[in-house]
Amino acid sequence: VIFFLLTLLASKIGVSQTCTGPFVFSTQSEVDAFIIDNPTCTQIIGDVFIVGNAIHSVEAFHNIESIQGVLYIEGTILNNVWGFRNVRSVYSLQLINVPVFNLHGFINLLQLFIHTRFVLSGTGNLTNLAGLYDLHTIGGSFIVSGTSISNFCGSRLISVGYFNVIGNNNIYNFNGMEYLTTIYSGMSVINNQN
């Protein structure tokens, strides 16, 4: 009986768990249920899709440290991504048509892997990359398109696979990219109005 109780207790606290996806969330209640269904999950193996115009919080992901797949967020009403504050690595990160004000939720993000993408598109409230202080390497493409970014302050990128900045109406300078020393495949900087 004591062994059973200790085993049960260990399974409920302090033991991390790997969750296997893909995970698709289209409502806030589905997002909120993630932490209830996976209270000890720290690593997701598979893709995470968060798509829905009623999703306003990703706090349910605060335990996640690694996503071995794509983190794709589109068409939500998120004004922050603080729920991902413990994520250190992800294979690909894509924020599309999300009204976030900053990227502070990715403050511990260290790397995106080779053949992956970092995409910011249609992020109208975002004016810089503050929050990506520890992200030094993007193995694949860095894509910023159709945003309100005026500069790249907050970025400390050292290397990217492909650098692509297209169709941004508010970019005034590339401050924040002074650490970028290596672009492996190529670069496109076009149709930026300023």
Side-chain angles (χ1 to χ4, degrees), residues 50-51 71-76 78 81 84 94-96 98 106:
I50 301 172
V51 181
L71 174 55
Y72 182 90
I73 304 173
E74 181 179 6
T76 67
L78 292 173
V81 287
F84 294 107
Q94 300 180 45
L95 295 176
I96 300 170
V98 178
F106 298 114

Side-chain angles (χ1 to χ4, degrees), residues 4-167:
F4 173 75
L5 291 175
L6 289 175
T7 303
L8 181 63
L9 181 63
S11 70
K12 297 295 180 190
I13 60 171
V15 179
S16 65
Q17 168 188 340
T18 299
C19 305
T20 303
F23 292 98
V24 179
F25 305 96
S26 59
T27 67
Q28 186 62 51
S29 61
E30 290 172 349
V31 170
D32 294 341
F34 179 81
I35 190 71
I36 295 165
D37 296 340
N38 304 284
T40 60
C41 182
T42 58
Q43 179 179 16
I44 295 175
I45 298 176
D47 298 332
V48 176
F49 297 94
I50 301 172
V51 181
N53 62 7
I55 297 174
H56 57 85
S57 173
V58 289
E59 189 57 31
F61 299 100
H62 70 273
N63 288 338
I64 302 302
E65 297 172 3
S66 171
I67 299 173
Q68 293 181 15
V70 173
L71 174 55
Y72 182 90
I73 304 173
E74 181 179 6
T76 67
I77 57 172
L78 292 173
N79 61 21
N80 72 71
V81 287
W82 189 242
F84 294 107
R85 63 190 169 272
N86 291 313
V87 172
R88 294 188 164 283
S89 64
V90 61
Y91 283 5
S92 181
L93 174 59
Q94 300 180 45
L95 295 176
I96 300 170
N97 297 324
V98 178
V100 294
F101 287 96
N102 62 60
L103 299 173
H104 290 291
F106 298 114
I107 198 160
N108 287 309
L109 186 60
L110 300 174
Q111 67 179 347
L112 295 174
F113 297 95
I114 194 162
H115 305 301
T116 63
R117 299 170 71 177
F118 173 86
V119 178
L120 292 176
S121 179
T123 53
N125 294 330
L126 195 62
T127 59
N128 58 44
L129 300 182
L132 295 180
Y133 308 112
D134 289 335
L135 179 60
H136 298 285
T137 302
I138 297 174
S141 298
F142 173 84
I143 302 169
V144 176
S145 173
T147 71
S148 294
I149 288 178
S150 60
N151 61 59
F152 295 91
C153 290
S155 170
R156 292 192 184 138
L157 277 175
I158 296 171
S159 64
V160 298
Y162 190 85
F163 187 83
N164 189 348
V165 179
I166 297 177

Side-chain angles (χ1 to χ4, degrees), residues 144-147 152 164-171 174 188-194:
V144 176
S145 173
T147 71
F152 295 91
N164 189 348
V165 179
I166 297 177
N168 300 282
N169 293 330
N170 294 327
I171 292 183
F174 280 77
S188 294
V189 179
I190 56 175
N191 294 331
N192 299 291
Q193 298 303 311
N194 291 319

